[in-house]
Amino acid sequence: MTLENLLTSGFIFNEEESLLKYRYKLVNSMFLVGGFIAVPASLMRYFYGEYIAALADTTLAITFFISLLYLRKSRSNFEIVTTIQLSFAFILFSVVILSLPENHVKLLWYALLISVSYMIKGIKGGLLSFTATIFALTLFHTVPQIFPSLNAEINLHLSFSELIMAFLGYTAIAIFNTFATLEQQKSIDNLKNANQKIQLQQKKLHKQLRTYPITNLPNARALNEALQRPLHEPLALITMSIDDYAILADEFGTEYAQKIILQSAKSLRNFTSKNIRLFHVAPYQFSFLLEKTQKEQALAFANNLKNYFEKIYITIENVELSISFSMGIATDNPQKLVVHADTALYEAQREGINNYRLFTEDEQRAQEQRNNIYWNNKIKEIVTQNKLQVYYQPIVENKTGKIHKYEALIRALDKEKVISPFFFIQAAKTRGMLPSITKFVIDQSFQKFANNNLEISINITEEDLKNEYLVSYLSEKTKAYNIHPNRIYLEVLENITSMQTDTIQKQFHQLKELGFGIAIDDFGAEASNLSRLLTYNADIIKIDGMFIKNLDTDKNSIKIVETIVSLAKKLEAKTVAEFVHNEAIYHIVTELGVDFSQGYFFGAPQPELIEGKELLPA
């Protein structure tokens, strides 16, 4: 049983239906037992010559079996059948009583009939049976007084004292059964009230499990359930993510970020209609489920959303913000709408903010999307089962031509193949597993470099900084492996350093105080804010490979590299040229004053370190 079933399991309680089931089983048992008792009783009556009583017993047995068989096929007529059967039994009991001389037997028959009536028909039926019995006994006593000759023929000899005793006895039985039935009804009422509370709680839990608490919109579970029900095809799903939400949350705080989500949800509700439903599927992700929607209509809807948010501002605490969404659109396959929309969203985010992409099955794009789906499903297995391996690429000091340090690079192992992070790193980010990968790289690299004096560069991510574990984790590991922090350089992308939040600045300051070096990776690849270099006091600036790979043919690249080198020297930072893939480029970067080089000219990333420090031929 799942947690949801455990929380919401209850019972559908209907008072009449519950009593009907109870009485139905009781009557079936009584009809069966009564029939088997009446058969030998009738045989005994015949044997002793009591033919009228024998005939009554036989008739009673037949009616019991007929009623039993009839109710098996038609339970809906239960009330009618039992009423007729009890009335018929009352008549036959009276016949038997009139034909037998024993008064105590007469009293037992009617006592049993009254109790059975209470059990089967409730208080009204029991009181009716009680009244009919009193009336019959009174009649049996008074008729012989009026017609003395009749008494001699049918043995009516019920005395006044016997009549009074019978009245008292039956009254006691009626009172007892009335109170017993009332107590039973009270228990049923209590059960009904308790069940109403359970059902109310069920509804609350059901709603909570299918509602996102911040916005009160249906959540991802509700979306999946909606897709399982019959819908008006064709369908489309648009999954959208607030761009730069993490930066906004870090900059303004979680409470402020939640207000952004609330205002976004409020605006998105304006786009809902009878065939368009909105879901809040993740902390800063929403989905529109569109029924009766063709592919072209879905694209037009996404474009309208894009244009709408480009024109409006969201006002929070008297501050106007412009927000945008990245959107993934999926159509055609109802069973895979969620997965395909997530994949399309991932592709839109890769290409920048404020984009939307349609999931397609076309050639190369289809293969890329299939790869995205595969790695989104595979990454958890890779990380949790340690199907990772660290590769090391040498970084050469240009003046000496010797290996000065290495960069640690992560690889995945899948089906005996070594997989580049290009394929799985975004999936790891989506699944929140980047910190686990970074810790793996730190552990493996420290173990490898514990027995040498080389320096090592390790890439850290935005998620590592958000989790705020680096300072304590790195301190612990340097002590465990006896590695001085000044041998460790932490490489961060230039766009990460653009997130100038107090939390991130504090971490960089603490790491620098401990002796760790800071390297800005891929510098120049994006719109660089040069003030960030001063803010984070970088020790190394790694020049993006896009400016290095064509140095031997592109004069503009030479000018850019010269500028970066000049800036770095003024900031007293070292420079590293990435993507040095031939000797000509190596000589150019050396002449331009770049301190270190990294690239396939010196060595590809591999699991083991290159033997010896001399790398270039003499």
Side-chain angles (χ1 to χ4, degrees):
M1 178 179 286
T2 64
L3 176 59
E4 179 186 357
N5 289 336
L6 182 63
L7 289 174
T8 60
S9 61
F11 53 91
I12 304 301
F13 179 80
N14 181 289
E15 178 183 357
E16 293 182 2
E17 183 179 348
S18 299
L19 286 172
L20 183 63
K21 288 181 179 179
Y22 163 73
R23 290 170 181 167
Y24 176 79
K25 292 180 180 179
L26 178 64
V27 166
N28 272 274
S29 302
M30 292 178 65
F31 283 176
L32 188 63
V33 174
F36 281 112
I37 292 176
V39 169
S42 65
L43 294 175
M44 290 178 63
R45 303 298 186 197
Y46 277 114
F47 180 77
Y48 288 109
E50 299 168 350
Y51 298 114
I52 296 177
L55 181 61
D57 283 340
T58 302
T59 305
L60 190 61
I62 293 172
T63 59
F64 277 149
F65 287 124
I66 290 175
S67 296
L68 178 64
L69 294 174
Y70 183 76
L71 284 180
R72 288 282 187 181
K73 294 184 178 180
S74 183
R75 184 182 297 192
S76 60
N77 293 322
F78 171 82
E79 292 292 342
I80 297 174
V81 172
T82 53
T83 301
I84 294 173
Q85 183 64 59
L86 286 173
S87 301
F88 196 56
F90 179 83
I91 295 171
L92 291 175
F93 285 174
S94 299
V95 172
V96 173
I97 286 169
L98 291 173
S99 64
L100 295 176
E102 304 89 350
N103 288 341
H104 65 280
V105 175
K106 301 173 188 178
L107 299 178
L108 289 176
W109 273 104
Y110 278 122
L112 179 61
L113 185 63
I114 292 171
S115 296
V116 169
S117 298
Y118 269 100
M119 285 189 287
I120 296 175
K121 308 298 290 184
I123 293 177
K124 290 183 180 179
L127 289 175
L128 182 62
S129 179
F130 167 73
T131 304
T133 299
I134 297 298
F135 175 78
L137 290 179
T138 303
L139 191 65
F140 294 162
H141 177 73
T142 56
V143 167
Q145 307 295 329
I146 301 173
F147 304 102
S149 59
L150 186 63
N151 184 45
E153 294 181 11
I154 59 176
N155 299 318
L156 282 171
H157 53 89
L158 190 65
S159 66
F160 181 75
S161 61
E162 289 176 327
L163 180 63
I164 296 301
M165 291 300 294
F167 284 175
L168 293 175
Y170 293 154
T171 302
I173 292 173
I175 293 173
F176 172 80
N177 281 287
T178 299
F179 279 107
T181 306
L182 288 173
E183 192 65 30
Q184 181 190 48
Q185 185 62 48
K186 182 179 178 181
S187 298
I188 291 173
D189 290 340
N190 291 336
L191 185 62
K192 184 166 63 174
N193 292 335
N195 185 63
Q196 288 175 347
K197 293 180 181 179
I198 291 174
Q199 288 181 333
L200 181 61
Q201 189 65 24
Q202 279 182 268
K203 291 179 181 178
K204 290 182 180 179
L205 288 171
H206 186 275
K207 184 178 180 181
Q208 288 175 2
L209 288 169
R210 289 157 182 82
T211 304
Y212 210 95
I214 299 174
T215 57
N216 285 324
L217 285 170
N219 61 12
R221 182 193 295 272
L223 173 59
N224 289 327
E225 290 180 356
L227 291 171
Q228 302 303 316
R229 303 188 188 104
L231 296 168
H232 299 98
E233 296 191 23
L235 301 175
L237 185 69
I238 300 177
T239 297
M240 49 202 304
S241 176
I242 300 176
D243 292 326
D244 295 329
Y245 174 81
I247 296 176
L248 293 171
D250 280 346
E251 188 72 27
F252 298 106
T254 304
E255 185 176 344
Y256 192 90
Q258 288 185 353
K259 292 179 180 178
I260 294 175
I261 293 174
L262 281 170
Q263 289 294 329
S264 300
K266 183 178 180 181
S267 298
L268 292 172
R269 280 190 174 98
N270 296 327
F271 290 85
T272 60
S273 66
K274 180 180 178 181
N275 293 319
I276 300 175
R277 283 181 281 172
L278 176 64
F279 298 83
H280 190 174
V281 295
Y284 48 94
Q285 287 187 1
F286 300 87
S287 289
F288 278 104
L289 178 60
L290 296 82
E291 298 182 62
K292 298 181 180 179
T293 303
Q294 301 286 350
K295 183 184 300 182
E296 294 75 16
Q297 295 171 309
L299 287 168
F301 185 84
N303 192 56
N304 288 339
L305 286 170
K306 180 175 181 289
N307 292 336
Y308 175 80
F309 282 98
E310 284 177 349
K311 296 175 183 178
I312 69 162
Y313 289 90
I314 291 178
T315 303
I316 300 173
E317 298 178 2
N318 298 322
V319 177
E320 289 188 339
L321 291 175
S322 176
I323 66 167
S324 63
F325 290 87
S326 295
M327 291 177 272
I329 308 167
T331 59
D332 301 332
N333 192 334
Q335 287 73 38
K336 296 183 178 179
L337 278 178
V338 174
V339 174
H340 288 175
D342 286 344
T343 301
L345 172 62
Y346 163 69
E347 290 189 358
Q349 290 173 325
R350 286 179 62 182
E351 296 181 19
I353 65 172
N354 200 24
N355 280 313
Y356 60 85
R357 288 292 176 268
L358 174 70
F359 182 91
T360 65
E361 295 288 355
D362 298 333
E363 301 173 4
Q364 183 177 356
R365 173 67 71 86
Q367 183 59 47
E368 290 177 358
Q369 291 174 334
R370 283 192 291 271
N371 287 339
N372 294 339
I373 294 171
Y374 176 82
W375 287 110
N376 276 328
N377 294 327
K378 190 74 175 178
I379 189 64
K380 183 176 181 180
E381 173 191 332
I382 287 175
V383 174
T384 57
Q385 297 182 15
N386 285 331
K387 294 182 178 180
L388 294 167
Q389 188 169 5
V390 181
Y391 276 48
Y392 305 93
Q393 186 172 31
I395 299 175
V396 173
E397 187 176 15
N398 290 334
K399 289 182 179 180
T400 63
K402 296 180 179 179
I403 298 175
H404 185 76
K405 63 181 72 177
Y406 284 84
E407 180 179 1
L409 302 166
I410 192 64
R411 299 290 186 267
L413 303 177
D414 183 41
K415 298 178 182 178
E416 299 182 356
K417 293 182 180 179
V418 179
I419 308 299
S420 165
F422 172 81
F423 294 98
F424 64 84
I425 206 69
Q426 182 61 38
K429 179 178 180 179
T430 302
R431 298 282 184 173
M433 294 182 176
L434 285 181
S436 297
I437 293 176
T438 301
K439 290 178 181 179
F440 178 85
V441 173
I442 292 172
D443 287 344
Q444 296 296 310
S445 300
F446 281 22
Q447 184 177 348
K448 177 76 73 173
F449 282 74
N451 298 320
N452 60 49
N453 294 318
L454 295 171
E455 296 176 357
I456 179 75
S457 289
I458 296 173
N459 292 283
I460 61 173
T461 68
E462 176 184 340
E463 282 68 23
D464 297 320
L465 294 167
K466 287 179 181 178
N467 280 270
E468 300 184 46
Y469 72 89
L470 283 172
V471 174
S472 59
Y473 194 80
L474 285 167
S475 298
E476 175 188 336
K477 294 301 176 180
T478 51
K479 292 178 182 177
Y481 290 98
N482 195 27
I483 294 177
H484 197 280
N486 64 11
R487 292 174 53 198
I488 311 301
Y489 287 85
L490 305 175
E491 292 193 14
V492 293
L493 292 176
E494 196 278 333
N495 65 341
I496 294 179
T497 62
S498 67
M499 297 186 300
Q500 192 173 0
T501 66
D502 292 339
T503 301
I504 291 178
Q505 288 187 35
K506 180 180 178 181
Q507 289 179 77
F508 278 124
H509 181 70
Q510 290 174 328
L511 290 168
K512 289 281 290 182
E513 281 190 336
L514 291 171
F516 294 98
I518 304 298
I520 304 299
D521 198 8
D522 296 340
F523 186 79
E526 298 189 13
S528 303
N529 187 333
L530 300 181
S531 65
R532 298 288 187 259
L533 296 176
L534 295 174
T535 301
Y536 294 103
N537 192 20
D539 300 285
I540 293 177
I541 297 174
K542 298 190 74 173
I543 306 170
D544 190 77
M546 64 182 294
F547 304 118
I548 302 298
K549 62 183 179 180
N550 297 321
L551 274 178
D552 52 349
T553 58
D554 185 2
K555 293 182 180 180
N556 288 329
S557 293
I558 291 178
K559 293 178 182 178
I560 292 172
V561 173
E562 283 180 331
T563 302
I564 295 174
V565 170
S566 176
L567 173 65
K569 287 181 178 179
K570 291 178 180 179
L571 297 175
E572 297 183 355
K574 300 292 184 181
T575 50
V576 177
E578 298 182 299
F579 215 97
V580 177
H581 57 92
N582 60 43
E583 188 172 358
I585 290 178
Y586 167 67
H587 288 305
I588 293 173
V589 296
T590 302
E591 291 172 1
L592 291 174
V594 178
D595 298 296
F596 302 96
S597 292
Q598 179 180 355
Y600 276 70
F601 177 60
F602 308 105
Q606 56 187 24
E608 300 299 329
L609 304 181
I610 297 175
E611 293 293 334
K613 293 186 179 182
E614 292 288 347
L615 192 64
L616 295 178

